[in-house]
């Protein structure tokens, strides 16, 4: 006998959490890179190399940012633009996106399993069931089988893409990388990558291994799975435009001095 209480409670809780995460993902800002009104854009263009700039947004791009053509804004730690939520996925809402993808998978699995389990139940097994008024058309076998098989086929059809997206998000969080960094950049030719595209050493803080520094570029050191998940979930700091400009200019000045020293030797 299928536990009616379990059926009602589990589906209600899962759907509530799914709707909550969906609403948050729809309205939560992903972490747009905002222009600094105190900086003169003409002066920034003269001093900062173009590879660090977005001329559409008129901002200095943080290393893990990307310009979204749908939102027409630069997003820090750009993941992708979700057409389901009509919102970008970035630094500030990546954790909510992970939760939303998980509850999509959980609802698809739960509803598919319940539909498969109720195919053989053609009559209510509980005497004087309080949920009997909700059983509209359940006593009609044609309606019963149609609803059960239809739900099962649809749910298990969505199970494949839902599982794939959940696996991608688990891998992203475990590696402290985004889908764009893992897949889109792999398709680029090596000679088109700039220094800004590689993972640079840290200066201080969370994602500063991607900021310009006075050290040679290197790949980010491997950390534990949970440490990377903590970075992806809790690291909400967006580097200011003034700080980015200062770091880039100091890196250029150091490179020029280093080149002059090499030329004098």
């Amino acid at each position: 006998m299928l536990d009616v209480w379990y059926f009602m409670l589990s589906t209600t809780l899962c759907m509530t959490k799914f709707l909550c995460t969906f609403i948050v993902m729809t309205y939560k800002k992903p972490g747009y890179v905002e222009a600094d009104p105190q900086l003169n854009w003409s002066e920034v263009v003269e001093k900062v190399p173009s590879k660090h700039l977005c001329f559409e947004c008129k901002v200095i791009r943080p290393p893990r940012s990307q310009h979204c053509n749908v939102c027409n804004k630069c997003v820090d730690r750009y993941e992708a633009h979700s057409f389901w939520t009509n919102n970008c996925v970035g630094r500030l809402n990546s954790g909510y996106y992970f939760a939303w993808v998980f509850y999509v998978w959980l609802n698809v699995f739960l509803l598919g399993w319940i539909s498969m389990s109720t195919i053989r139940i053609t009559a209510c097994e509980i005497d004087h069931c309080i949920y009997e008024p909700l059983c509209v058309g359940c006593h009609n076998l044609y309606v019963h089988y149609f609803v059960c098989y239809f739900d099962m086929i649809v749910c298990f059809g969505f199970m494949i893409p839902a599982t794939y997206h959940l696996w991608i998000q688990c891998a992203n969080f475990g590696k402290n990388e985004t889908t764009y960094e893992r897949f889109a950049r792999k398709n680029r030719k090596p000679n088109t990558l700039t220094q800004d595209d590689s993972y640079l050493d840290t200066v201080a803080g969370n994602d500063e291994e991607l900021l310009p520094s006075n050290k040679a570029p290197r790949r980010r050191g491997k950390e534990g799975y949970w440490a990377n998940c903590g970075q992806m979930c809790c690291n909400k700091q967006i580097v200011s435009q003034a700080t980015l400009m200062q770091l880039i200019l100091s890196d250029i000045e150091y490179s020029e001095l280093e080149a002059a020293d090499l030329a004098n030797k």
Side-chain angles (χ1 to χ4, degrees):
M1 179 179 67
L2 187 65
D3 194 335
V4 178
W5 285 102
Y6 174 78
F7 171 81
M8 298 295 292
L9 183 62
S10 59
T11 53
T12 302
L13 288 177
C14 288
M15 287 303 298
T16 301
K17 294 177 181 179
F18 164 75
L19 290 175
C20 288
T21 54
F22 176 79
I23 293 172
V24 172
M25 266 303 302
T26 303
Y27 294 100
K28 179 71 174 178
K29 290 185 178 180
Y32 295 121
V33 182
E34 304 290 349
D36 190 345
Q38 297 181 354
L39 294 179
N40 189 320
W41 178 246
S42 300
E43 182 181 352
V44 172
V45 173
E46 292 178 0
K47 294 182 178 180
V48 178
S50 59
K51 66 181 181 180
H52 297 292
L53 303 176
C54 176
F55 291 93
E56 295 186 40
C57 301
K58 295 185 177 180
V59 295
I60 304 173
R61 295 189 303 106
R64 301 182 75 177
S65 66
Q66 178 69 14
H67 185 85
C68 177
N69 294 324
V70 179
C71 299
N72 199 26
K73 292 182 179 180
C74 284
V75 180
D76 192 14
R77 205 172 73 191
Y78 178 79
E79 166 79 23
H81 184 91
S82 174
F83 290 95
W84 295 99
T85 60
N86 193 29
N87 196 8
C88 272
V89 182
R91 181 178 297 278
L92 299 184
N93 64 353
S94 58
Y96 297 108
Y97 182 71
F98 190 5
W100 178 69
V101 171
F102 170 74
Y103 284 116
V104 168
W105 177 87
L106 186 61
N107 276 279
V108 167
F109 171 79
L110 186 61
L111 293 177
W113 175 77
I114 291 174
S115 299
M116 184 174 61
S117 301
T118 53
I119 292 177
R120 60 182 179 82
I121 303 176
T122 57
C124 186
E125 300 177 354
I126 303 176
D127 295 332
H128 307 291
C129 180
I130 60 175
Y131 300 106
E132 187 174 0
L134 300 177
C135 298
V136 179
C138 297
H139 300 293
N140 188 322
L141 292 181
Y142 293 102
V143 175
H144 171 77
Y145 286 125
F146 173 78
V147 172
C148 288
Y149 279 108
F150 179 79
D151 287 351
M152 185 177 64
I153 293 173
V154 171
C155 287
F156 284 106
F158 275 97
M159 193 68 184
I160 297 175
T163 303
Y164 175 71
H165 283 287
L166 181 61
W167 172 78
I168 288 178
Q169 289 303 308
C170 291
N172 289 348
F173 273 63
K175 296 180 179 180
N176 191 11
E177 294 181 359
T178 64
T179 304
Y180 175 78
E181 292 169 347
R182 292 181 59 208
F183 295 99
R185 292 189 175 187
K186 288 181 180 180
N187 296 328
R188 298 185 187 179
K189 295 180 180 180
N191 58 359
T192 63
L193 295 176
T194 64
Q195 186 184 40
D196 182 53
D197 289 313
S198 56
Y199 298 104
L200 306 183
D201 278 320
T202 64
V203 181
N206 28 45
D207 273 327
E208 291 164 349
E209 68 267 19
L210 302 180
L211 298 178
S213 68
N214 294 336
K215 299 179 182 180
R218 67 169 176 81
R219 285 288 172 182
R220 182 193 304 147
K222 293 183 178 180
E223 298 182 10
Y225 182 89
W226 296 113
N228 289 333
C229 288
Q231 283 288 325
M232 292 289 286
C233 292
C234 304
N235 177 5
K236 306 298 183 182
Q237 182 181 359
I238 300 178
V239 183
S240 66
Q241 293 287 286
T243 303
L244 281 172
M245 185 171 182
Q246 181 181 1
L247 289 170
I248 292 172
L249 293 180
S250 63
D251 183 59
I252 293 174
E253 182 180 357
Y254 177 83
S255 300
E256 291 177 351
L257 292 175
E258 189 179 44
D261 291 340
L262 292 174
N264 293 332
K265 289 181 180 181

